[in-house]
Amino acid sequence: MKLSHAKLIIISGLIWFAAGFYLLQLGLNLLLGGVHFDQKLAGSYPMLKAMSSYLGSGETAAIILVAIALFIGYLKGRYVLGKSAHKGVARILTMPNPVSLARIYSPKYYVLLGVMMLLGISMKYLGINNDLRGFIDAIIGSALINGAMIYFKLAQTVKTQSNSR
């Protein structure tokens, strides 16, 4: 199946958005699941436990952790993943138009995706506390969603430029 450059860029953005949405939702569930922890769950939420004793409530601690995660994710999405999105779009634009869907990412990128997925899955089995896992997942999810927005903006630019030719 061959697609235009703009469609490939949109598909890449949708992939990032879907992965980001999944991770953000997972992270928020893990973080907010610890808001009303009892003593048997307190060991799974040490950050929330420590912060709630200082701040007075688990809700306040969770909101602060979520806000920090979203802010860090925003920065990572804009400045780190944004560079990756620009490189991915530049790579797509070097190919003849239309392009096969199979060439959306380079082989090196597929290896990187696999390693990142293994790291994410391994967090579940490494005994990392739920609040830290949730914090990390929320950061990565937010970053991927922000990176996806860059893909969508670049796709619009590419589409506009190709229509003006």
Side-chain angles (χ1 to χ4, degrees):
M1 171 193 274
K2 292 194 173 201
L3 301 168
S4 70
H5 288 156
K7 287 180 183 171
L8 270 184
I9 295 166
I10 289 170
I11 289 170
S12 192
L14 286 171
I15 291 169
W16 279 34
F17 186 84
F21 182 80
Y22 169 76
L23 288 172
L24 181 59
Q25 173 261 332
L26 179 65
L28 293 176
N29 283 337
L30 285 168
L31 277 172
L32 298 177
V35 169
H36 297 291
F37 59 84
D38 55 18
Q39 288 307 314
K40 66 180 178 180
L41 290 178
S44 296
Y45 298 96
M47 289 190 327
L48 282 175
K49 182 180 178 186
M51 289 177 70
S52 66
S53 66
Y54 178 72
L55 297 169
S57 75
E59 291 89 357
T60 304
I63 289 170
I64 289 172
L65 283 177
V66 167
I68 292 169
L70 293 175
F71 181 69
I72 293 170
Y74 170 79
L75 293 175
K76 182 176 179 173
R78 286 285 167 217
Y79 301 109
V80 177
L81 295 184
K83 289 179 186 179
S84 181
H86 282 280
K87 286 180 185 178
V89 168
R91 184 183 158 282
I92 288 171
L93 293 176
T94 62
M95 296 183 232
N97 201 6
V99 183
S100 170
L101 179 60
R103 296 185 62 199
I104 192 167
Y105 299 122
S106 68
K108 185 172 123 179
Y109 194 82
Y110 283 114
V111 170
L112 178 63
L113 283 175
V115 169
M116 289 189 315
M117 287 173 63
L118 284 172
L119 284 172
I121 292 169
S122 69
M123 279 199 327
K124 183 176 183 177
Y125 301 105
L126 291 175
I128 296 175
N129 296 317
N130 286 345
D131 53 4
L132 180 58
R133 266 184 61 211
F135 187 69
I136 292 169
D137 286 342
I139 289 171
I140 295 170
S142 174
L144 285 169
I145 290 170
N146 279 291
M149 295 304 125
I150 293 170
Y151 266 111
F152 297 147
K153 287 176 187 175
L154 292 172
Q156 185 61 41
T157 302
V158 167
K159 193 173 187 179
T160 302
Q161 287 175 351
S162 67
N163 287 342
S164 66
R165 289 180 190 169

